[in-house]
Amino acid sequence: MIDEHKLRRPDPVYRAASLVVNNQKRAKLQKQDLYAFMEQLAVAALDVNDVDTCDRTIDVLRETFPSSSRVKRLEGMSLEAKGRVDDAVAVYGKVLEEFPSDQRAMKRRVAALASAGRDKEAIEALAKYLDTFMADTRAWERLAGMYQERGAYRQAVFCWEEVVAAEPSVHYHHRRLAECLYTLGTEEDLRAARKYYAAAVDMSNASDVRALYGLALTDNRLTRKGKVKGNPDQPVDGDGQVPVTELGQHAAGLLRKMYAAGEKIGASKPGLCAIVEGQLKTLLDA
Amino acid sequence: MSTLRLDSDIRNWVLIPITVAMFFVGIVRHNIGKLMHRDRKVDLKALREAQAVIRAERLRNNSGYLQSAGFRMRKHFFCAPETGVFNQAAKKANPQAQMLSDPTMMTSMLTKNLNFIVPNMLTAGWVNFFFTGFVVGKVPFPLTQRFRGMLQRGIELQSLDVTYISSLSWYFLNFFGLRGVFNLCLGENTLDDTQAMQQQMAMGMNTEKAFASVKENLDMLDHEFVLYVAERRAERLLRRLVSGAAVGEARAFANAEF
């Protein structure tokens, strides 16, 4: 059931799966299901740091399916858990030689490299994976995250654009793209960031607080840039549609309201509202 | 015409044996198929092209959300005259010709077909040989005369009611009906006879045509970054929300301008 919902809850899975696997007769399992459960048990065992159970399960599985790529993947994961990342990467490499189109092995390899801190190799491996499987949205997200960690924001923007093009109605993709653009900081990027923040706000009916903050900050920066250019009264806006400061002011106003309301019903800590007010005031007066 | 009375021996010695025989043949076929099954080597290039088509379609549909720079980069990636993804594939041979020339694919196709065709033909021949010339059963619903040729093969009576069928039609009924029984007995991965037949009839994706159409669409797309509407809508939404309106009202106000 947990598998169906694609959740990751190692503790209950571990307990349930060990019960089931150890008392096979009582559980009245079919043969095929048994092996699927053993696979789940192995992964859950790794999650709760019980590498021995995992190894034992893998041995049983290996006897039944000696040349299966799934079992080899589990072996690789067990090696990763023991910290032997090079061996794990070698195992995945062998799997890929035999089954060159095994998506999961490719992704596991990237994860192993990333967890070992070998970022550059991980990014290369993931980029190569995406060269073939270019419709995999989650992989693009992960690559964007990796680029962001290393500060390569231009590339991260490209990846986020892929994600937005794939799932345009999900508001936090727009927000994350906007955050990258805002970090880049040139005027063009700031204007684009503003649009994406606005899209996030629009799609989430203003419930995305990070997007609201983003709007306020972007507008603030744009105003300051406008002032530096020597145009104190006319905040610059390329499209001429919405004057620059208005969006930011409205966003700040809404934020203030939200924090006040949260304080009233006791959802947020008491001092928070004052801090937020102070912050927003400096933002908008500058 | 009064109903014919059929000997109950027919039921014992014809209907049930045919069903039982087909059932066992199916099981044997399934196990042999499992033994001879080999993992098909999936072509990475073919995968890449399929995914490229998906990505390009998504790009075309949602291009309004991307900035011009982003769109131009991707358009170049896909449609550039020499290096673009869609132009590279055009040089590749037609998949059908490829299928015939690729030896491993051919052998796997052959084995699959053999495994499917031979037992079926044998069983049909056996049924035809042993059980022709007499009426086996009666179909419970009325049929038109057109079905006579199909349902009464081997029975030479022109005036016999079409609802009386011959054993070959019973064979065909079993052929389609035992699929469900196999699913129950042998688990999910049983050979799907009808699916295999459908696969043979519909050839795989013809990459050339798909590429040509997607490329043309992408080429002709006049890109516009339309996200500025979001700014307008967000501004209206926020204005209303700040002044204390409920979310639904503010949403309606924001959408109302367009």
PDB file of all heavy atoms in Angstrom, chain A residues 109-135:
ATOM      1  N   ARG A 109      23.181   5.839  -9.637  1.00  0.00           N
ATOM      2  CA  ARG A 109      24.583   6.212  -9.732  1.00  0.00           C
ATOM      3  C   ARG A 109      24.758   7.694  -9.423  1.00  0.00           C
ATOM      4  O   ARG A 109      25.652   8.085  -8.686  1.00  0.00           O
ATOM      5  CB  ARG A 109      25.121   5.906 -11.135  1.00  0.00           C
ATOM      6  CG  ARG A 109      26.622   6.052 -11.197  1.00  0.00           C
ATOM      7  CD  ARG A 109      27.134   5.537 -12.462  1.00  0.00           C
ATOM      8  NE  ARG A 109      26.591   6.336 -13.540  1.00  0.00           N
ATOM      9  CZ  ARG A 109      27.083   6.321 -14.756  1.00  0.00           C
ATOM     10  NH1 ARG A 109      28.086   5.547 -15.022  1.00  0.00           N
ATOM     11  NH2 ARG A 109      26.538   7.033 -15.692  1.00  0.00           N
ATOM     12  N   VAL A 110      23.867   8.490  -9.967  1.00  0.00           N
ATOM     13  CA  VAL A 110      23.937   9.932  -9.689  1.00  0.00           C
ATOM     14  C   VAL A 110      23.790  10.178  -8.203  1.00  0.00           C
ATOM     15  O   VAL A 110      24.528  10.956  -7.590  1.00  0.00           O
ATOM     16  CB  VAL A 110      22.842  10.665 -10.479  1.00  0.00           C
ATOM     17  CG1 VAL A 110      22.768  12.092 -10.059  1.00  0.00           C
ATOM     18  CG2 VAL A 110      23.092  10.548 -11.951  1.00  0.00           C
ATOM     19  N   ALA A 111      22.826   9.478  -7.587  1.00  0.00           N
ATOM     20  CA  ALA A 111      22.593   9.690  -6.151  1.00  0.00           C
ATOM     21  C   ALA A 111      23.823   9.293  -5.350  1.00  0.00           C
ATOM     22  O   ALA A 111      24.199   9.981  -4.394  1.00  0.00           O
ATOM     23  CB  ALA A 111      21.384   8.871  -5.707  1.00  0.00           C
ATOM     24  N   ALA A 112      24.470   8.171  -5.761  1.00  0.00           N
ATOM     25  CA  ALA A 112      25.645   7.730  -5.021  1.00  0.00           C
ATOM     26  C   ALA A 112      26.754   8.767  -5.119  1.00  0.00           C
ATOM     27  O   ALA A 112      27.385   9.137  -4.120  1.00  0.00           O
ATOM     28  CB  ALA A 112      26.135   6.386  -5.569  1.00  0.00           C
ATOM     29  N   LEU A 113      26.971   9.270  -6.333  1.00  0.00           N
ATOM     30  CA  LEU A 113      28.026  10.262  -6.511  1.00  0.00           C
ATOM     31  C   LEU A 113      27.716  11.520  -5.724  1.00  0.00           C
ATOM     32  O   LEU A 113      28.586  12.113  -5.092  1.00  0.00           O
ATOM     33  CB  LEU A 113      28.171  10.598  -8.000  1.00  0.00           C
ATOM     34  CG  LEU A 113      28.779   9.495  -8.839  1.00  0.00           C
ATOM     35  CD1 LEU A 113      28.630   9.804 -10.306  1.00  0.00           C
ATOM     36  CD2 LEU A 113      30.258   9.360  -8.508  1.00  0.00           C
ATOM     37  N   ALA A 114      26.455  11.919  -5.746  1.00  0.00           N
ATOM     38  CA  ALA A 114      26.099  13.146  -5.037  1.00  0.00           C
ATOM     39  C   ALA A 114      26.286  12.971  -3.538  1.00  0.00           C
ATOM     40  O   ALA A 114      26.774  13.874  -2.860  1.00  0.00           O
ATOM     41  CB  ALA A 114      24.662  13.529  -5.356  1.00  0.00           C
ATOM     42  N   SER A 115      25.908  11.800  -3.026  1.00  0.00           N
ATOM     43  CA  SER A 115      26.013  11.623  -1.580  1.00  0.00           C
ATOM     44  C   SER A 115      27.465  11.530  -1.150  1.00  0.00           C
ATOM     45  O   SER A 115      27.790  11.776  -0.005  1.00  0.00           O
ATOM     46  CB  SER A 115      25.258  10.370  -1.135  1.00  0.00           C
ATOM     47  OG  SER A 115      25.944   9.232  -1.577  1.00  0.00           O
ATOM     48  N   ALA A 116      28.351  11.148  -2.078  1.00  0.00           N
ATOM     49  CA  ALA A 116      29.755  11.091  -1.709  1.00  0.00           C
ATOM     50  C   ALA A 116      30.414  12.447  -1.834  1.00  0.00           C
ATOM     51  O   ALA A 116      31.598  12.589  -1.584  1.00  0.00           O
ATOM     52  CB  ALA A 116      30.485  10.090  -2.606  1.00  0.00           C
ATOM     53  N   GLY A 117      29.650  13.429  -2.275  1.00  0.00           N
ATOM     54  CA  GLY A 117      30.225  14.752  -2.399  1.00  0.00           C
ATOM     55  C   GLY A 117      30.922  14.984  -3.719  1.00  0.00           C
ATOM     56  O   GLY A 117      31.536  16.031  -3.936  1.00  0.00           O
ATOM     57  N   ARG A 118      30.841  14.013  -4.639  1.00  0.00           N
ATOM     58  CA  ARG A 118      31.508  14.206  -5.932  1.00  0.00           C
ATOM     59  C   ARG A 118      30.539  14.917  -6.869  1.00  0.00           C
ATOM     60  O   ARG A 118      29.970  14.347  -7.771  1.00  0.00           O
ATOM     61  CB  ARG A 118      31.894  12.840  -6.501  1.00  0.00           C
ATOM     62  CG  ARG A 118      33.099  12.262  -5.793  1.00  0.00           C
ATOM     63  CD  ARG A 118      33.044  10.775  -5.676  1.00  0.00           C
ATOM     64  NE  ARG A 118      33.304  10.132  -6.954  1.00  0.00           N
ATOM     65  CZ  ARG A 118      33.573   8.846  -7.066  1.00  0.00           C
ATOM     66  NH1 ARG A 118      33.617   8.095  -5.997  1.00  0.00           N
ATOM     67  NH2 ARG A 118      33.775   8.300  -8.227  1.00  0.00           N
ATOM     68  N   ASP A 119      30.381  16.221  -6.593  1.00  0.00           N
ATOM     69  CA  ASP A 119      29.319  16.957  -7.290  1.00  0.00           C
ATOM     70  C   ASP A 119      29.526  16.995  -8.781  1.00  0.00           C
ATOM     71  O   ASP A 119      28.597  16.811  -9.554  1.00  0.00           O
ATOM     72  CB  ASP A 119      29.262  18.390  -6.774  1.00  0.00           C
ATOM     73  CG  ASP A 119      28.783  18.421  -5.349  1.00  0.00           C
ATOM     74  OD1 ASP A 119      28.125  17.464  -4.944  1.00  0.00           O
ATOM     75  OD2 ASP A 119      29.076  19.410  -4.653  1.00  0.00           O
ATOM     76  N   LYS A 120      30.760  17.287  -9.176  1.00  0.00           N
ATOM     77  CA  LYS A 120      30.981  17.491 -10.608  1.00  0.00           C
ATOM     78  C   LYS A 120      30.616  16.238 -11.380  1.00  0.00           C
ATOM     79  O   LYS A 120      29.925  16.293 -12.393  1.00  0.00           O
ATOM     80  CB  LYS A 120      32.461  17.845 -10.819  1.00  0.00           C
ATOM     81  CG  LYS A 120      32.763  18.379 -12.178  1.00  0.00           C
ATOM     82  CD  LYS A 120      33.992  19.307 -12.115  1.00  0.00           C
ATOM     83  CE  LYS A 120      34.474  19.635 -13.517  1.00  0.00           C
ATOM     84  NZ  LYS A 120      34.913  18.448 -14.258  1.00  0.00           N
ATOM     85  N   GLU A 121      31.060  15.080 -10.856  1.00  0.00           N
ATOM     86  CA  GLU A 121      30.736  13.838 -11.562  1.00  0.00           C
ATOM     87  C   GLU A 121      29.245  13.582 -11.546  1.00  0.00           C
ATOM     88  O   GLU A 121      28.678  13.110 -12.530  1.00  0.00           O
ATOM     89  CB  GLU A 121      31.439  12.661 -10.903  1.00  0.00           C
ATOM     90  CG  GLU A 121      32.930  12.688 -11.091  1.00  0.00           C
ATOM     91  CD  GLU A 121      33.573  11.550 -10.351  1.00  0.00           C
ATOM     92  OE1 GLU A 121      33.004  10.441 -10.383  1.00  0.00           O
ATOM     93  OE2 GLU A 121      34.608  11.766  -9.717  1.00  0.00           O
ATOM     94  N   ALA A 122      28.628  13.894 -10.400  1.00  0.00           N
ATOM     95  CA  ALA A 122      27.194  13.658 -10.320  1.00  0.00           C
ATOM     96  C   ALA A 122      26.465  14.498 -11.351  1.00  0.00           C
ATOM     97  O   ALA A 122      25.556  14.023 -12.035  1.00  0.00           O
ATOM     98  CB  ALA A 122      26.697  13.979  -8.911  1.00  0.00           C
ATOM     99  N   ILE A 123      26.875  15.775 -11.468  1.00  0.00           N
ATOM    100  CA  ILE A 123      26.190  16.642 -12.436  1.00  0.00           C
ATOM    101  C   ILE A 123      26.390  16.115 -13.850  1.00  0.00           C
ATOM    102  O   ILE A 123      25.460  16.082 -14.666  1.00  0.00           O
ATOM    103  CB  ILE A 123      26.712  18.086 -12.296  1.00  0.00           C
ATOM    104  CG1 ILE A 123      26.213  18.672 -10.996  1.00  0.00           C
ATOM    105  CG2 ILE A 123      26.265  18.913 -13.460  1.00  0.00           C
ATOM    106  CD1 ILE A 123      26.523  20.128 -10.841  1.00  0.00           C
ATOM    107  N   GLU A 124      27.626  15.686 -14.144  1.00  0.00           N
ATOM    108  CA  GLU A 124      27.866  15.159 -15.494  1.00  0.00           C
ATOM    109  C   GLU A 124      27.010  13.946 -15.767  1.00  0.00           C
ATOM    110  O   GLU A 124      26.406  13.809 -16.837  1.00  0.00           O
ATOM    111  CB  GLU A 124      29.337  14.765 -15.638  1.00  0.00           C
ATOM    112  CG  GLU A 124      30.246  15.930 -15.946  1.00  0.00           C
ATOM    113  CD  GLU A 124      31.693  15.500 -15.905  1.00  0.00           C
ATOM    114  OE1 GLU A 124      31.966  14.282 -15.935  1.00  0.00           O
ATOM    115  OE2 GLU A 124      32.544  16.388 -15.829  1.00  0.00           O
ATOM    116  N   ALA A 125      26.957  13.028 -14.764  1.00  0.00           N
ATOM    117  CA  ALA A 125      26.172  11.810 -14.973  1.00  0.00           C
ATOM    118  C   ALA A 125      24.702  12.151 -15.176  1.00  0.00           C
ATOM    119  O   ALA A 125      24.028  11.583 -16.046  1.00  0.00           O
ATOM    120  CB  ALA A 125      26.353  10.873 -13.779  1.00  0.00           C
ATOM    121  N   LEU A 126      24.204  13.100 -14.380  1.00  0.00           N
ATOM    122  CA  LEU A 126      22.792  13.446 -14.508  1.00  0.00           C
ATOM    123  C   LEU A 126      22.515  14.130 -15.839  1.00  0.00           C
ATOM    124  O   LEU A 126      21.488  13.892 -16.479  1.00  0.00           O
ATOM    125  CB  LEU A 126      22.375  14.357 -13.347  1.00  0.00           C
ATOM    126  CG  LEU A 126      20.881  14.623 -13.223  1.00  0.00           C
ATOM    127  CD1 LEU A 126      20.090  13.358 -13.258  1.00  0.00           C
ATOM    128  CD2 LEU A 126      20.597  15.376 -11.941  1.00  0.00           C
ATOM    129  N   ALA A 127      23.458  14.969 -16.279  1.00  0.00           N
ATOM    130  CA  ALA A 127      23.248  15.623 -17.572  1.00  0.00           C
ATOM    131  C   ALA A 127      23.224  14.591 -18.692  1.00  0.00           C
ATOM    132  O   ALA A 127      22.423  14.687 -19.626  1.00  0.00           O
ATOM    133  CB  ALA A 127      24.360  16.647 -17.809  1.00  0.00           C
ATOM    134  N   LYS A 128      24.095  13.595 -18.573  1.00  0.00           N
ATOM    135  CA  LYS A 128      24.101  12.550 -19.599  1.00  0.00           C
ATOM    136  C   LYS A 128      22.786  11.776 -19.575  1.00  0.00           C
ATOM    137  O   LYS A 128      22.216  11.467 -20.616  1.00  0.00           O
ATOM    138  CB  LYS A 128      25.282  11.607 -19.332  1.00  0.00           C
ATOM    139  CG  LYS A 128      25.615  10.687 -20.455  1.00  0.00           C
ATOM    140  CD  LYS A 128      27.089  10.330 -20.387  1.00  0.00           C
ATOM    141  CE  LYS A 128      27.328   9.008 -21.108  1.00  0.00           C
ATOM    142  NZ  LYS A 128      26.842   7.839 -20.397  1.00  0.00           N
ATOM    143  N   TYR A 129      22.294  11.498 -18.374  1.00  0.00           N
ATOM    144  CA  TYR A 129      21.007  10.806 -18.263  1.00  0.00           C
ATOM    145  C   TYR A 129      19.919  11.623 -18.933  1.00  0.00           C
ATOM    146  O   TYR A 129      19.078  11.108 -19.675  1.00  0.00           O
ATOM    147  CB  TYR A 129      20.686  10.599 -16.784  1.00  0.00           C
ATOM    148  CG  TYR A 129      19.276  10.180 -16.517  1.00  0.00           C
ATOM    149  CD1 TYR A 129      18.876   8.868 -16.689  1.00  0.00           C
ATOM    150  CD2 TYR A 129      18.333  11.098 -16.096  1.00  0.00           C
ATOM    151  CE1 TYR A 129      17.575   8.489 -16.442  1.00  0.00           C
ATOM    152  CE2 TYR A 129      17.032  10.719 -15.850  1.00  0.00           C
ATOM    153  CZ  TYR A 129      16.668   9.417 -16.024  1.00  0.00           C
ATOM    154  OH  TYR A 129      15.366   9.047 -15.789  1.00  0.00           O
ATOM    155  N   LEU A 130      19.948  12.952 -18.686  1.00  0.00           N
ATOM    156  CA  LEU A 130      18.888  13.779 -19.247  1.00  0.00           C
ATOM    157  C   LEU A 130      19.018  13.945 -20.739  1.00  0.00           C
ATOM    158  O   LEU A 130      18.054  14.293 -21.415  1.00  0.00           O
ATOM    159  CB  LEU A 130      18.891  15.153 -18.566  1.00  0.00           C
ATOM    160  CG  LEU A 130      18.172  15.133 -17.236  1.00  0.00           C
ATOM    161  CD1 LEU A 130      18.412  16.413 -16.486  1.00  0.00           C
ATOM    162  CD2 LEU A 130      16.692  14.954 -17.469  1.00  0.00           C
ATOM    163  N   ASP A 131      20.224  13.713 -21.271  1.00  0.00           N
ATOM    164  CA  ASP A 131      20.362  13.805 -22.720  1.00  0.00           C
ATOM    165  C   ASP A 131      19.499  12.756 -23.397  1.00  0.00           C
ATOM    166  O   ASP A 131      18.944  12.995 -24.466  1.00  0.00           O
ATOM    167  CB  ASP A 131      21.830  13.608 -23.106  1.00  0.00           C
ATOM    168  CG  ASP A 131      22.043  13.827 -24.573  1.00  0.00           C
ATOM    169  OD1 ASP A 131      21.568  14.853 -25.086  1.00  0.00           O
ATOM    170  OD2 ASP A 131      22.673  12.979 -25.218  1.00  0.00           O
ATOM    171  N   THR A 132      19.377  11.593 -22.753  1.00  0.00           N
ATOM    172  CA  THR A 132      18.528  10.559 -23.342  1.00  0.00           C
ATOM    173  C   THR A 132      17.095  10.664 -22.859  1.00  0.00           C
ATOM    174  O   THR A 132      16.160  10.674 -23.641  1.00  0.00           O
ATOM    175  CB  THR A 132      19.060   9.174 -22.961  1.00  0.00           C
ATOM    176  OG1 THR A 132      20.424   9.132 -23.245  1.00  0.00           O
ATOM    177  CG2 THR A 132      18.338   8.102 -23.739  1.00  0.00           C
ATOM    178  N   PHE A 133      16.936  10.761 -21.557  1.00  0.00           N
ATOM    179  CA  PHE A 133      15.578  10.765 -21.005  1.00  0.00           C
ATOM    180  C   PHE A 133      15.171  12.184 -20.710  1.00  0.00           C
ATOM    181  O   PHE A 133      15.044  12.600 -19.560  1.00  0.00           O
ATOM    182  CB  PHE A 133      15.542   9.942 -19.723  1.00  0.00           C
ATOM    183  CG  PHE A 133      15.845   8.499 -19.957  1.00  0.00           C
ATOM    184  CD1 PHE A 133      17.103   8.005 -19.748  1.00  0.00           C
ATOM    185  CD2 PHE A 133      14.848   7.658 -20.407  1.00  0.00           C
ATOM    186  CE1 PHE A 133      17.373   6.669 -19.975  1.00  0.00           C
ATOM    187  CE2 PHE A 133      15.114   6.326 -20.629  1.00  0.00           C
ATOM    188  CZ  PHE A 133      16.379   5.821 -20.420  1.00  0.00           C
ATOM    189  N   MET A 134      14.948  12.956 -21.781  1.00  0.00           N
ATOM    190  CA  MET A 134      14.776  14.373 -21.517  1.00  0.00           C
ATOM    191  C   MET A 134      13.391  14.750 -21.052  1.00  0.00           C
ATOM    192  O   MET A 134      13.131  15.909 -20.796  1.00  0.00           O
ATOM    193  CB  MET A 134      15.145  15.190 -22.754  1.00  0.00           C
ATOM    194  CG  MET A 134      14.736  14.608 -24.063  1.00  0.00           C
ATOM    195  SD  MET A 134      15.155  15.736 -25.348  1.00  0.00           S
ATOM    196  CE  MET A 134      16.516  14.935 -26.118  1.00  0.00           C
ATOM    197  N   ALA A 135      12.510  13.785 -20.914  1.00  0.00           N
ATOM    198  CA  ALA A 135      11.170  14.158 -20.465  1.00  0.00           C
ATOM    199  C   ALA A 135      10.970  13.907 -18.984  1.00  0.00           C
ATOM    200  O   ALA A 135       9.856  14.010 -18.488  1.00  0.00           O
ATOM    201  CB  ALA A 135      10.130  13.369 -21.259  1.00  0.00           C
TER     202      ALA A 135
END
